Amino acid sequence: METSGKVIKCKAAVAWEAGKPLSIEEVEVAPPKAHEVRIKVLATGICRSDDHVLSGCISTVHFPVILGHEAAGVVESVGEGVTDLKPGDKVIPLFVPQCGECTSCQHPRNNLCVKNDLGKHRGLMADGTTRFTCRGQQIHNFLNTSTFTEYTVVEEIAVAKIDDAAPVHKICLIGCGFSTGYGAAVNTAKVEPGSTCAVFGLGGIGLSALIGCKVGGATRIIGIDINKDKFAKAKELGATECISPQDYKKAIPEVLLAMTDGIGVDYAFECIGHVDTMMAALQSCRVGCGTCVVVGVSPAADQISFNPKLIVTGRTLTGSVFGGWKSKDCVPRLVSDYMAKKFNLDGLVTHTLPFDKINEGFELLRTGKSIRSILVF
Ligand code: PAD
Ligand code: ZN
Ligand code: ZN
């Protein structure tokens, strides 16, 4: 059936309010307006950032909302003026867009296009409305993407065309988790051969950072997690040692110092989202040149305070969103690199579930049983 130009009725998981399970509903998805693209979502991952909205940790998101931001699909139709995409193209929606024109896009080292919706969480398209309706009510977008739905509409600046042969059930992770962690290591930290790295948190983001550390040539990669069930996968992906804070009386920075002959680590990655582990990661870094990269998202009101001696003595505290990648340029290249086997992210997918089991997918994440669950339609 020709759907172009028409409203599509389809299945979506609507978050009506925080703290409640998602509700599978029939939604109406309006056709794309000028410079917009309607995408048939084929596979979408569940990221901890989606759960942060449901748990209230990211409290600025407007409800009701369709969450999800890590997906792959095909273009169903395009709005007026869209020239670089056509129906049938395989694509990844981009939760950090790349307009190509703003001061951030023009800056060689800045990937945070001003058109991102990360801090403000307007949850609306550029014209101030959304394309989703359910039970007569407008439903908000999430991070320019909203992928927990069979069809979504995104701005053309928030979609990357990728290799037609790429397996959507795996490379959907390039839409967030993989690129975020991997880029934190290869772009933000620029891990060098021979270095020692520590990865705090061995979920989808941490394990992707670990893959990046390995690709960067790190000789020692120490994984840290309170859930020891994560250790086997971490070792499979390249961790040389794994430790749990619960096995030590000493604090983790002291443990890491002892493990490195008092030197500390060259690079530490915080992939959890707690201010205390961010501090521990910074304190674990080598004096004079160690770098701590914060990737985890902490509750909105949390603050860090620390003795400036930690950084005056040459440590660097930094962070990145989406691994520092300029999204529209780099996502197609990351997919090509995956196809060329420059890295393997398949091990991050622990569960593949039918879309209707989305709440089960969230439970697997919350109980620490999954790395990434992929929902398929
Ligand atoms: P996840 O829940 O799969 O992984 C977190 C891991 O941390 C789990 O294995 C936990 O067991 C472990 N953990 C929890 N508390 C501790 C602790 N005190 N000490 C050691 N380990 C602990 O989440 P994820 O990998 O999907 O996401 C991780 C964070 O990254 C999360 O805060 C998410 O919001 C953030 C994120 N940031 C970006 C970005 O662009 N910066 C993108 C996507 C996700
Ligand atoms: Zn994410
Ligand atoms: Zn821009």
Side-chain angles (χ1 to χ4, degrees), residues 29-33 35-39 41 76-77 125 130-132 141 144-146 149 151-155:
V29 184
K33 293 191 180 177
H35 299 290
E36 295 176 359
V37 180
R38 190 160 58 184
I39 298 169
V41 178
E76 174 270 339
S77 62
M125 305 297 279
T130 85
R131 305 289 162 264
F132 299 119
N141 298 335
N144 306 289
T145 43
S146 288
T149 169
Y151 288 87
T152 188
V153 178
V154 304
E155 319 263 351

Side-chain angles (χ1 to χ4, degrees), residues 47 49 69-70 176-177 372:
C47 172
S49 302
H69 60 281
E70 182 180 78
C176 179
R372 275 303 199 251

Side-chain angles (χ1 to χ4, degrees), residues 102-121:
C102 71
T103 52
S104 299
C105 285
Q106 301 267 315
H107 191 287
R109 282 184 291 110
N110 193 337
N111 76 324
L112 283 183
C113 174
V114 299
K115 298 206 170 147
N116 80 70
D117 200 24
L118 291 161
K120 303 177 287 283
H121 293 297

Side-chain angles (χ1 to χ4, degrees), residues 61 69 83 100 107 134 148 152 181 229 255 263 276 312 335 355 357:
V61 171
H69 60 281
T83 52
H107 191 287
C134 181
F148 293 159
T152 188
D229 292 344
V255 174
I263 293 172
D276 52 351
V312 113
V335 172
F355 181 67
K357 296 207 166 162

Side-chain angles (χ1 to χ4, degrees), residues 48-49 52 203-205 225 230 271-272 295 297 320-322 372:
R48 181 60 79 166
S49 302
H52 282 339
I205 309 289
D225 203 298
K230 307 276 173 129
C271 306
I272 302 165
V295 187
V297 175
S320 58
V321 172
F322 196 52
R372 275 303 199 251

Side-chain angles (χ1 to χ4, degrees), residues 274-310:
H274 296 163
V275 288
D276 52 351
T277 40
M278 293 174 190
M279 269 318 297
L282 178 62
Q283 287 163 346
S284 306
C285 286
R286 182 174 183 171
V287 70
C289 67
T291 297
C292 169
V293 182
V294 172
V295 187
V297 175
S298 51
D302 285 12
Q303 306 278 323
I304 293 187
S305 94
F306 61 87
N307 190 321
K309 257 189 246 162
L310 272 172

